[in-house]
Amino acid sequence: LSPDCSFTCHYRCRALVRLDCSGPPGAGDEDDDNEQVLEKDTNVDEPSEWEKTELDQAQVEQRIKEYNSQINSNLFMSLNKDGSYTGFIKVQLKLVRPVSVPATKRVPSTQAGRPHPQGVKRRTSFYLPKGTVKHLHILSHTRASEVIDALLRKFTVIDNPRKFALFERSEKDEQVYLRKLSDDEQPLRLRLLAGPSEKVLSFILKENETGEVNWDAFTLPELHNFLLILQREEEEHVRRLRHRYARCRQKMQEAL
């Protein structure tokens, strides 16, 4: 646990983490606040213009040529003989709750007087670092639900995929628009229609807010874990509010 940024990781993974925690505490709060203010004006119900666009084979080929001519990397799209195409999408993971990954603990087991190592399946939870980005190589007919499955496999996350949703993010007229993709939408097709610009279109993996939760479906240890998570989220929210009010109070005192 870093004293500056409060980043938590497994002790064996500590040497693999490359983070600059030298900044003053609270330095990253302003960026988070700006992003939250910017995304207040979102409209998740308005369909994007790319949803309605239909392309024939010749138009797809022309769009791929235009797309490849605009990128400065080797993440090209390529047209296949059967009319489909392959390419890369970049997904940013913005998860506010911890995810579960498998953990195996070795315990001794005696059989016929001899100890034998035996694996006991367990799970552990941790927070993914903010700004985590993953590139995926997918097909034009790859669905949003399959993208979510692939991302969870990449990070060995064993949570139910229904807990997550893929969002389309776009910027227009100094406003940010977020729209949750349906399971059957094709992200690579949206990427091709929108072009390579991340401001025009980008993909974000977030928690899937599905409304009321049936808490009776969880076990007692899971419910206790949820209470701990809620307590930590509440403490963090209170800390940010106090920091914001302290900053306002200081500016008023300076003005006086």
Side-chain angles (χ1 to χ4, degrees):
L1 178 64
S2 169
D4 293 331
C5 67
S6 301
F7 179 80
T8 306
C9 72
H10 192 270
Y11 75 96
R12 292 180 180 173
C13 305
R14 187 167 48 191
L16 302 176
V17 177
R18 296 291 182 267
L19 293 176
D20 181 13
C21 300
S22 57
D29 293 344
E30 295 185 11
D31 294 338
D32 291 342
D33 293 341
N34 291 337
E35 182 73 8
Q36 291 172 3
V37 171
L38 192 61
E39 290 193 357
K40 279 183 179 178
D41 295 323
T42 61
N43 188 347
V44 296
D45 298 323
E46 182 180 342
S48 65
E49 55 185 290
W50 307 297
E51 276 188 285
K52 310 169 186 176
T53 306
E54 294 293 338
L55 301 177
D56 56 30
Q57 187 68 19
Q59 290 173 321
V60 168
E61 187 174 358
Q62 181 61 29
R63 288 270 188 157
I64 290 177
K65 289 180 180 179
E66 293 175 357
Y67 182 93
N68 291 338
S69 65
Q70 296 174 32
I71 62 176
N72 299 320
S73 64
N74 59 349
L75 304 180
F76 298 108
M77 289 195 190
S78 58
L79 187 64
N80 301 323
K81 293 181 180 180
D82 60 358
S84 65
Y85 50 95
T86 58
F88 293 86
I89 62 168
K90 184 173 75 171
V91 182
Q92 183 182 11
L93 282 70
K94 295 180 67 173
L95 304 177
V96 298
R97 294 184 178 88
V99 294
S100 300
V101 295
T104 303
K105 182 179 180 181
R106 311 298 294 185
V107 297
S109 175
T110 57
Q111 183 177 359
R114 296 182 180 181
H116 293 283
Q118 181 179 354
V120 177
K121 291 184 178 180
R122 301 177 63 205
R123 63 167 58 191
T124 184
S125 299
F126 73 101
Y127 286 89
L128 280 173
K130 289 184 179 179
T132 300
V133 172
K134 190 67 180 178
H135 285 86
L136 292 177
H137 187 248
I138 61 175
L139 291 162
S140 55
H141 56 260
T142 301
R143 297 176 297 138
S145 58
E146 295 171 324
V147 169
I148 295 174
D149 291 339
L151 286 169
L152 298 184
R153 286 197 303 270
K154 289 283 186 182
F155 291 95
T156 64
V157 175
I158 57 178
D159 291 314
N160 191 323
R162 304 299 299 177
K163 293 182 179 180
F164 308 93
L166 194 64
F167 285 80
E168 166 194 285
R169 181 185 187 275
S170 58
E171 296 182 25
K172 186 179 180 181
D173 300 328
E174 297 184 355
Q175 290 188 1
V176 174
Y177 294 85
L178 282 179
R179 183 180 69 88
K180 185 169 76 171
L181 301 183
S182 64
D183 289 342
D184 294 329
E185 287 193 66
Q186 301 163 339
L188 189 62
R189 175 179 173 274
L190 297 176
R191 179 80 279 164
L192 176 64
L193 293 172
S197 172
E198 290 291 320
K199 284 192 174 182
V200 176
L201 173 70
S202 60
F203 296 108
I204 299 175
L205 184 73
K206 301 178 70 174
E207 281 86 1
N208 187 15
E209 302 295 343
T210 56
E212 291 297 324
V213 178
N214 181 17
W215 297 111
D216 294 332
F218 295 94
T219 63
L220 282 177
E222 287 177 322
L223 291 173
H224 284 301
N225 212 16
F226 289 144
L227 286 175
L228 289 174
I229 292 171
L230 288 174
Q231 181 181 353
R232 291 173 184 174
E233 289 181 352
E234 181 183 11
E235 291 172 352
E236 176 63 18
H237 186 64
V238 170
R239 186 190 68 81
R240 292 193 178 201
L241 284 176
R242 287 177 175 171
H243 174 73
R244 187 181 304 169
Y245 276 93
R247 191 168 52 190
C248 291
R249 187 179 296 108
Q250 180 183 359
K251 289 183 179 179
M252 281 191 247
Q253 289 175 346
E254 289 174 357
L256 288 172

